[in-house]
């Protein structure tokens, strides 16, 4: 099994669109179904079964994305001869603009159907030693909340559903849901958490595989000193792997509605978003009444990680046929980011074993137990 350190952060926000795109989006027809859909998971990524031009596929269910995205062009009928809008701009979680195209397709699932759904086409990179992605696109919030429907996310059963106002009120009345402070606008859902006693807004983002992330801010200083500081390529966004400094705090005290608990928090120099991800979201069942700006939650049995699962010294990544040091813990001095690993335990790095040696390195907490030969990076 490939061991890939990069965390997923796949949400997309539209920044600039052409007049043609405005017309296409305005003319698209989306019908919501009062139905329930099962989610599957690839590692921590929630996947929804959809049909694109009658071809079945798995799309990421991403509450942090304001638009729906196509990654795999092979599932679109006659893709090369389709009409596109070019030179549009979207923004990923790292704040970088992504050039993309828009295409209209027949899109349906257990929850919705559209004869002319506009998808943003972004061809995400596939890195050395990466298996074929288990998803072909992203289902964003642009397909939900029409017709006064609300969204139910039940992570006790790993299902999502469109529900009516009557069903919403029945669930709120009959079950132990609590109203939480929220803001629903511009296709985004934000909820509020208190971290070390200070309240912050966070985007609800099932496309982020972690729990809670802050962008780096020198004015914000946490009291907690139990932290792990990493440097290098940590996050996989919709278009690239980030490069920067990431600080992970463990056992951070959180208050959410009437719930108090400890959790891990990331502070990132490369990610510009302030989000809560699927690791946190899955610990609750959710009712989202977007049209009335109300969000209800209920604690379930899923655990939220609060401590480091393992010690991290270094990670390696295969890139353009070379095995490179891609992540290091800040205090480590034996290797530098970008050093090329040419042999491990006497085995030279070759095309036929590069992925196997990468896995060995990334599963080993202490690289001092391995005999590693490198070519130092040129500064």
């Amino acid at each position: 099994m490939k061991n890939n350190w990069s965390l997923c952060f796949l949400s997309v926000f539209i920044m600039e669109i052409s007049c043609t795109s405005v017309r296409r989006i305005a003319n698209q027809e989306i019908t919501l179904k009062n139905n329930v859909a099962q989610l599957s998971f690839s590692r921590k990524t929630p996947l929804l079964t959809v049909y694109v031009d009658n071809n079945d596929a798995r799309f990421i269910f991403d509450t942090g994305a304001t638009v729906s995205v196509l990654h795999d062009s092979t599932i679109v009928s006659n893709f090369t001869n389709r009409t596109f809008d070019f030179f549009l701009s979207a923004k990923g979680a790292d704040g970088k603009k992504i050039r993309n195209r828009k295409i209209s397709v027949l899109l349906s699932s257990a929850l919705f159907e559209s004869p002319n759904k506009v998808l943003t086409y972004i061809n995400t990179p596939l890195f050395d030693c990466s298996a074929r992605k288990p998803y072909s696109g992203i289902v964003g919030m642009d397909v939900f909340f029409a017709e006064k429907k609300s969204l139910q996310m039940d992570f006790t059963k790993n299902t999502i559903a469109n529900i009516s106002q009557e069903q919403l009120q029945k669930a709120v009345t009959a079950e132990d849901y609590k109203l939480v402070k929220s803001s629903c606008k511009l296709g985004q859902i934000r909820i509020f958490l208190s971290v070390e006693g200070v309240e912050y807004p966070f985007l609800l983002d099932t496309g982020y595989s972690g729990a809670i992330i802050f962008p780096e801010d020198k004015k914000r200083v946490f009291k907690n000193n139990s932290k792990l500081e990493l440097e290098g390529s940590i996050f996989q966004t919709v278009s690239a792997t980030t490069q920067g400094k990431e600080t992970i705090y463990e056992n951070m005290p959180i208050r959410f509605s009437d719930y108090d608990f400890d959790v891990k928090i990331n502070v990132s120099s490369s990610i510009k978003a302030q989000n809560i991800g699927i690791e946190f979201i899955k610990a609750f069942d959710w009712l989202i009444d977007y049209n009335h700006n109300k969000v209800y939650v209920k604690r379930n049995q899923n655990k939220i990680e609060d401590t480091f699962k393992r010690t991290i010294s270094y990670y390696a990544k295969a890139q353009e046929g070379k095995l490179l040091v891609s992540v290091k813990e800040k205090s480590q001095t034996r290797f530098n980011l970008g050093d090329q690993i040419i042999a491990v335990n006497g085995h030279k790095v070759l095309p036929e074993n590069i992925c196997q040696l990468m896995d060995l390195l990334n599963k080993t907490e202490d690289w001092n137990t391995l005999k590693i030969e490198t070519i130092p990076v040129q500064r």
Side-chain angles (χ1 to χ4, degrees):
M1 181 179 70
K2 302 295 185 291
N3 191 336
N4 187 350
W5 162 245
S6 296
L7 295 172
C8 289
F9 218 132
L10 299 170
S11 301
V12 182
F13 313 95
I14 283 297
M15 297 295 290
E16 300 169 6
I17 59 176
S18 70
C19 293
T20 304
S21 289
V22 171
R23 287 193 296 271
R24 279 197 180 193
I25 293 169
N27 292 331
Q28 66 183 349
E29 304 166 41
I30 302 173
T31 302
L32 296 184
K33 303 175 185 178
N34 215 54
N35 205 355
V36 179
Q38 188 72 43
L39 293 176
S40 59
F41 280 81
S42 175
R43 295 186 181 179
K44 294 182 179 180
T45 303
L47 303 178
L48 177 68
T49 297
V50 301
Y51 296 88
V52 180
D53 289 348
N54 295 317
N55 297 312
D56 69 307
R58 306 301 164 263
F59 274 30
I60 296 173
F61 170 66
D62 190 352
T63 58
T66 59
V67 296
S68 296
V69 174
L70 173 70
H71 292 315
D72 181 4
S73 62
T74 65
I75 63 174
V76 176
S77 302
N78 203 22
F79 179 81
T80 56
N81 294 323
R82 300 291 280 267
T83 302
F84 298 92
D85 292 333
F86 291 88
F87 307 116
L88 304 179
S89 178
K91 186 176 74 171
D94 53 2
K96 295 179 181 178
K97 289 186 177 182
I98 311 157
R99 302 184 84 176
N100 59 84
R101 298 180 280 177
K102 289 216 178 280
I103 182 173
S104 295
V105 301
L106 175 65
L107 182 69
S108 65
S109 76
L111 300 176
F112 54 81
E113 59 184 20
S114 172
N116 57 349
K117 179 69 188 80
V118 177
L119 298 180
T120 300
Y121 176 59
I122 301 174
N123 187 16
T124 55
L126 194 64
F127 300 97
D128 293 2
C129 299
S130 297
R132 179 179 171 83
K133 288 184 172 61
Y135 53 86
S136 301
I138 296 172
V139 171
M141 293 298 95
D142 55 335
V143 300
F144 295 99
F145 305 123
E147 305 164 20
K148 297 184 179 180
K149 292 273 196 302
S150 295
L151 179 64
Q152 182 176 34
M153 301 192 300
D154 184 342
F155 291 106
T156 299
K157 301 176 182 177
N158 287 334
T159 60
I160 56 175
N162 294 315
I163 59 174
S164 65
Q165 282 295 307
E166 182 180 355
Q167 290 172 305
L168 173 76
Q169 292 306 318
K170 183 178 179 180
V172 170
T173 302
E175 303 181 45
D176 192 25
Y177 280 98
K178 301 181 186 208
L179 181 66
V180 298
K181 185 176 179 180
S182 62
S183 172
C184 302
K185 61 182 179 180
L186 301 177
Q188 298 181 326
I189 305 150
R190 298 187 186 278
I191 55 97
F192 292 78
L193 305 178
S194 292
V195 181
E196 289 192 336
V198 179
E199 186 179 70
Y200 300 93
F202 293 89
L203 179 69
L204 195 71
D205 184 7
T206 55
Y208 167 45
S209 60
I212 298 175
I213 190 164
F214 283 95
E216 187 177 55
D217 183 349
K218 297 189 186 308
K219 295 179 182 178
R220 181 177 54 242
V221 179
F222 291 125
K223 301 172 186 175
N224 186 352
N225 287 318
S226 182
K227 60 187 179 181
L228 177 68
E229 294 180 283
L230 303 174
E231 299 171 343
S233 302
I234 310 295
F235 288 100
Q236 172 65 56
T237 69
V238 73
S239 61
T241 301
T242 64
Q243 187 78 21
K245 183 181 73 174
E246 316 297 330
T247 304
I248 306 171
Y249 293 86
E250 64 177 356
N251 294 316
M252 286 291 283
I254 301 294
R255 184 168 181 82
F256 177 43
S257 182
D258 296 335
Y259 303 101
D260 293 287
F261 45 86
D262 293 340
V263 69
K264 285 191 308 183
I265 285 181
N266 283 29
V267 176
S268 175
S269 70
S270 59
I271 296 296
K272 307 306 178 186
Q274 187 163 295
N275 297 3
I276 61 168
I278 192 65
E279 190 176 302
F280 180 96
I281 294 168
K282 273 195 70 176
F284 297 86
D285 297 332
W286 302 74
L287 298 172
I288 302 171
D289 185 0
Y290 183 91
N291 297 293
H292 296 95
N293 193 23
K294 291 183 178 180
V295 175
Y296 304 86
V297 300
K298 179 177 65 173
R299 187 73 170 92
N300 60 32
Q301 76 286 355
N302 295 324
K303 187 179 183 299
I304 304 176
E305 291 182 8
D306 54 4
T307 58
F308 307 132
K309 278 190 171 181
R310 57 169 289 181
T311 302
I312 298 171
S313 301
Y314 296 96
Y315 273 89
K317 178 174 67 175
Q319 184 174 325
E320 298 179 355
K322 297 179 180 180
L323 191 55
L324 306 176
V325 177
S326 61
V327 175
K328 67 183 288 287
E329 196 273 323
K330 184 180 178 181
S331 66
Q332 297 293 324
T333 59
R334 183 181 174 192
F335 304 109
N336 292 311
L337 294 176
D339 284 356
Q340 181 184 350
I341 299 166
I342 58 173
V344 180
N345 289 344
H347 298 284
K348 290 185 178 180
V349 176
L350 301 170
E352 55 265 29
N353 68 7
I354 188 171
C355 297
Q356 180 183 355
L357 293 178
M358 183 187 76
D359 284 350
L360 171 62
L361 289 164
N362 291 344
K363 291 174 182 176
T364 303
E365 291 191 11
D366 184 3
W367 280 18
N368 289 317
T369 63
L370 303 173
K371 183 180 178 182
I372 301 172
E373 299 175 44
T374 64
I375 299 176
V377 64
Q378 297 297 315
R379 298 292 181 183

